[in-house]
Amino acid sequence: MDLGLKDRVYIVTGATRGLGNATAHALAADGAKVVITGRDEESAREAAAEVGPDAVGLAADNADPGAAQRLVDEARDRFGRLDGILISVGGPPPGFLADNTDDQWQTAFETVFLGAVRLARTTAAALGEGGVIGFVLSGSVHEPIPGLTISNGLRPGLAGFAKSLADELGPRGIRVVGVLPARIDTDRVRELDALSGDAEAARTAGEARIPLRRYGTPEEFGKTAAFLLSPAASYLTGLMVPVDGGSRRGF
């Protein structure tokens, strides 16, 4: 199946590892050009080099008010166009109500929420018909995850923002989608499993709750995200797609 990605240009934030990185690889494998970001210049460049010649790596902090416009300008200057963005922001610190400080909440809001809003707003202004804005969110959009109180507070709000954005941008032919990973085998998920004190036992218990009885791979997530960003998904907007092996029981 041809996804129609050849020579299209996407920004993928937080893509030096994990889900964003897997998506960048999937996009490039089908012929897209990719601007990859990470907080560290060297790691961003190394990640881009691994993706291939049609990728460029830039250091960018989503909390930086100037980062969004720099990324849009870089995509246009380097590749001559911009077709979409996948906003992947990483996870805020774990903890329960009594564990997380005001500073942690504020930092997470600036990076996870406001940074994503700013990236979406700036990209929307630069996109034409056929453009797409994607958000990497979490299964916590539908059901809170114990021990991730800050994430549980911010992710559903971003999903609501994405749904609103889909209504606003739809008349311009711009799509907005959310991708909701659950237990994908990334460094982040392994770190969360380790917080239990027995990472192996936590993983075994987690897999037992998944109908497919295993964690997903970053590559499986990346291929799903690449499809949603592609012209092949041209009539899909305003939806939240779980990539969770069947963990979500609702419709």
Side-chain angles (χ1 to χ4, degrees):
M1 177 180 179
D2 181 6
L3 297 181
L5 286 168
K6 183 171 174 54
D7 294 329
R8 294 178 75 87
V9 178
Y10 297 90
I11 298 167
V12 184
T13 72
T16 57
R17 63 176 189 161
L19 304 180
N21 185 264
T23 303
H25 276 271
L27 289 167
D30 259 48
K33 303 177 192 300
V34 189
V35 177
I36 289 173
T37 81
R39 291 190 178 184
D40 175 74
E41 185 83 29
E42 183 177 356
S43 61
R45 288 179 177 175
E46 289 175 353
E50 291 175 359
V51 169
D54 287 329
V56 58
L58 297 175
D61 184 344
N62 289 357
D64 175 5
Q69 191 61 56
R70 285 202 311 274
L71 294 175
V72 168
D73 291 344
E74 179 67 22
R76 287 170 150 180
D77 292 345
R78 183 65 66 98
F79 298 121
R81 60 187 288 175
L82 178 63
D83 297 286
I85 186 171
L86 182 68
I87 302 170
S88 179
V89 296
F96 293 90
L97 175 65
D99 303 323
N100 297 127
T101 66
D102 284 0
D103 285 344
Q104 287 176 320
W105 275 98
Q106 184 68 42
T107 298
F109 176 79
E110 294 285 345
T111 302
V112 174
F113 194 94
L114 185 56
V117 169
R118 190 183 295 115
L119 283 161
R121 183 176 62 220
T122 305
T123 303
L127 291 176
E129 185 173 358
V132 58
I133 297 171
F135 295 86
V136 179
L137 299 174
S138 165
S140 62
V141 163
H142 296 298
E143 185 175 352
I145 300 171
L148 294 180
T149 301
I150 294 179
S151 182
N152 294 338
L154 298 180
R155 304 287 190 189
L158 273 177
F161 169 72
K163 296 282 279 187
S164 296
L165 203 59
D167 290 342
E168 292 181 32
L169 299 180
R172 290 173 49 196
I174 299 171
R175 300 185 299 111
V176 182
V177 296
V179 198
L180 313 183
R183 307 308 281 185
I184 308 294
D185 191 17
T186 61
D187 291 343
R188 166 75 171 172
V189 168
R190 288 191 288 271
E191 289 165 3
L192 294 175
D193 282 347
L195 291 176
S196 69
D198 188 336
E200 185 175 349
R203 177 162 182 151
T204 298
E207 289 176 332
R209 293 189 291 270
I210 300 170
L212 289 181
R213 294 297 190 269
R214 63 177 178 84
Y215 283 9
T217 68
E219 291 74 20
E220 288 173 317
F221 176 92
K223 290 175 182 178
T224 302
F227 165 72
L228 291 171
L229 293 171
S230 78
S234 58
Y235 204 56
L236 299 180
T237 193
L239 78 168
M240 301 287 123
V241 179
V243 184
D244 63 5
S247 296
R248 175 165 163 74
R249 300 301 195 266
F251 294 104

